[in-house]
Amino acid sequence: MTVQLSLKAVDKFYGAIDKGVHAVRNINMDVHKGEIIALLGSSGCGKTSTLRMVAGFEDTSRGTITLAGREIQKLPPVKRNVAMAFEGYSLYPTVTVRENIAFALKAAKLSETEVAAKVKEVSEMLEITDILDRFPTSISGGQQQRASLARALVRDADLHLLDEPMGQLEPQLRTLLRGRIKHYIKERGLTAILVTHDQTEANAMADRIAVMEGGVLQQFASPEEIKEAPANLFTGTFVGEPPMNVFPAVVSDTGDQIHFDLQGGLDLQYPAKDFSADVRQAMLSRRQIVLGVRPYAVQRSAEGAPATVEANQWLGDQTHIAARFAGASIVLVEHDFTDVALGSEIRVHLNPNDLHVFDAETGQALSHGAQLA
Amino acid sequence: MESVNPIERALRGIAITLVILFFMFPIFWIILMSFQTNETILRMPPSMVFTPTLENYMALITGKLETSAGILEIAFMKNLFNSFFLSTASVAIGLVLGVPAAYAFARLKFKGSEDIAFTLLSFRFAPPLLVLLPLTIYFQQLGLANTYGGLIWVYQLIVLPLILWIVRGYFEDIPADVEYAYRIAGHSWGATFRKIALPLAGPGIAAAALLAFIFAWNNFVFALVLASADKQPVTVGALAFVTASGIQYGQIAAGIVLSIAPTFALALYAQRYLVEGLSLGAVKG
């Protein structure tokens, strides 16, 4: 696999270097040719700043950005050969949607027939053929967003940047277009970076997800890996719906038992053999840890620990139960209708193979299941 | 608006009428004066009944002012041309210099950009008299006194800050991403300025140009001191009617009507842009 885009030790400061706001901190990232990457994070996490540095709208304060073998961080946008769909659409209001889409192709000196064919293809894919001759101000937000997406995807660029490309679309259309856009990108072997705060979108479209928070790249891995082996407490709790349950705990060891002392005097015990020797060692050397468990991994079992039901919602295809547990709330997801009354007591069991253990101080993952992180 | 009660509507109508009377009466009176002779203007008590005469306008257009002391040459039409030429040229140069500068101030946050922009605006704060004396001396030494070039240069003090600040506001209103989208699609910075930024800021540029034209046209004191008769605009030229044998009120009135006509027509034509430009310039800071 060839590396198409490479970010090396990239920093972004708004204001003077080392003095201003440090928006992106020492990002290192390689994107392979033909890959779709999702930059996932909450607002202000640095994902858009990263994207704009790659596009050339923001100076790269430090570090190098290499695209298709060229170092680009000092080049003006026009010389980078990057296509971008903007979150705010940013269509040229003075020309029709068709001309908006065709602008870059004409600038690249493609023939009339080629331009027409490409515009037709991309607008059919995004279902905007009926608005091609209208002006951006006379179409809806969702249509503008698709026009903006078409303007980016129609190009044959080294890299496609899609900033929240589907935020304004109706859920049904979004689901349909997610698949189509992914297929379109893959079919042409394009490389794309998708900025989103929608986990479903990231999971559905991306080969790998880059989770960002506080300007720091928290984890860069496949959707499966992020779900099964979150690198730290942030990734663990940020990715996943409903979010991971977390409980601060103190670990101790009584020979053949491992104890997790949770808040509210709850003592979870597991046979020491459930954890490998290196996991035990890692946990015991920290003592203060945070225990994480995904809602769908929480089981109800007679020998489990007691919890008091606080809420019970049937969502049509799954039940979300929230219960008072270890001085906090625990959420569990069950796939069939569960009739437990509010205030009643249930017993929950956390399987050692489903436990994620994080260092309480640094938030770094120590183990996932019984395996060392 | 439909829930406004009749009394309130009536009061509002009266208020508007009063305001219009207050502002429009002088203009109305001057228009009346311009069709009268000095005698009917000065009679006591004043009356609105008179036989209209085109004498004043004829005198202005032919350039021959008949007074009791004889025929006086006046250069009113030349003044009118000067006004037109000076204002148009000033605005044209102001646009060429001011629009790119406004774009730079709106888009590029460089060191000291706010200070420079504010300094340019501060030219509008200082009373012209403050700079006139040194300016006169410099202009005489540089040979710029009594030249169109010199006047147009000084007029930039009026025109440039106005254009700069109004147009800057319009450029700031254009989402930067629209320009980025054009640039990333393979267009240079310059092409983006010409093809995207300029057309989108068009109404603002028009408003700024109109306002600047009116301000330049109305200028009096720079031209009074820095130009002699053949370069003077109408604002100064009207002084010629204060003659040794008396003040020619009729001709002054006709001169005023002729000289406000172009700006008045312009303002009526582009009222919407003007209001927009003024309020935008005021709100943006």
Side-chain angles (χ1 to χ4, degrees), chain A residues 7-11 25-29 60-64:
Chain A
L7 276 69
K8 290 220 165 29
V10 169
D11 270 300
R25 295 162 186 257
N26 191 29
I27 297 255
N28 289 285
M29 198 167 150
T60 307
S61 306
R62 264 202 299 255
T64 55

Side-chain angles (χ1 to χ4, degrees), chain A residues 170-325:
Chain A
E170 289 163 23
Q172 268 189 328
L173 191 60
R174 201 182 304 175
T175 311
L176 171 73
L177 291 189
R178 268 204 298 261
R180 282 198 194 167
I181 293 167
K182 180 170 182 173
H183 181 72
Y184 184 96
I185 292 173
K186 287 291 176 189
E187 202 177 45
R188 285 160 182 74
L190 306 174
T191 310
I193 297 182
L194 165 81
V195 163
T196 182
H197 60 261
D198 180 349
Q199 303 180 14
T200 320
E201 199 170 291
N203 281 319
M205 292 186 70
D207 299 308
R208 285 192 290 165
I209 298 176
V211 180
M212 286 186 77
E213 175 64 15
V216 177
L217 183 59
Q218 305 285 337
Q219 189 168 9
F220 184 32
S222 68
E224 295 72 29
E225 199 180 335
I226 283 181
K227 200 172 250 174
E228 282 157 23
N232 54 39
L233 198 52
F234 175 80
T235 312
T237 50
F238 185 74
V239 183
E241 181 55 41
M244 180 188 275
N245 296 299
V246 289
F247 306 97
V250 178
V251 190
S252 58
D253 160 37
T254 53
D256 56 350
Q257 293 278 319
I258 291 279
H259 297 261
F260 294 100
D261 287 311
L262 274 61
Q263 282 167 358
L266 187 67
D267 177 17
L268 291 183
Q269 296 178 26
Y270 295 94
K273 64 176 168 52
D274 281 357
F275 300 94
S276 64
D278 45 5
V279 170
R280 283 200 307 266
Q281 215 257 314
M283 292 194 294
L284 289 165
S285 70
R286 282 352 182 262
R287 282 186 51 79
Q288 301 278 348
I289 56 116
V290 175
L291 216 51
V293 60
R294 298 272 180 208
Y296 53 77
V298 180
Q299 289 162 358
R300 286 197 293 143
S301 156
E303 63 263 33
T308 314
V309 176
E310 289 178 316
N312 180 3
Q313 304 163 64
W314 169 243
L315 303 181
D317 56 352
Q318 48 183 250
T319 307
H320 287 192
I321 301 170
R324 197 78 195 152
F325 177 79

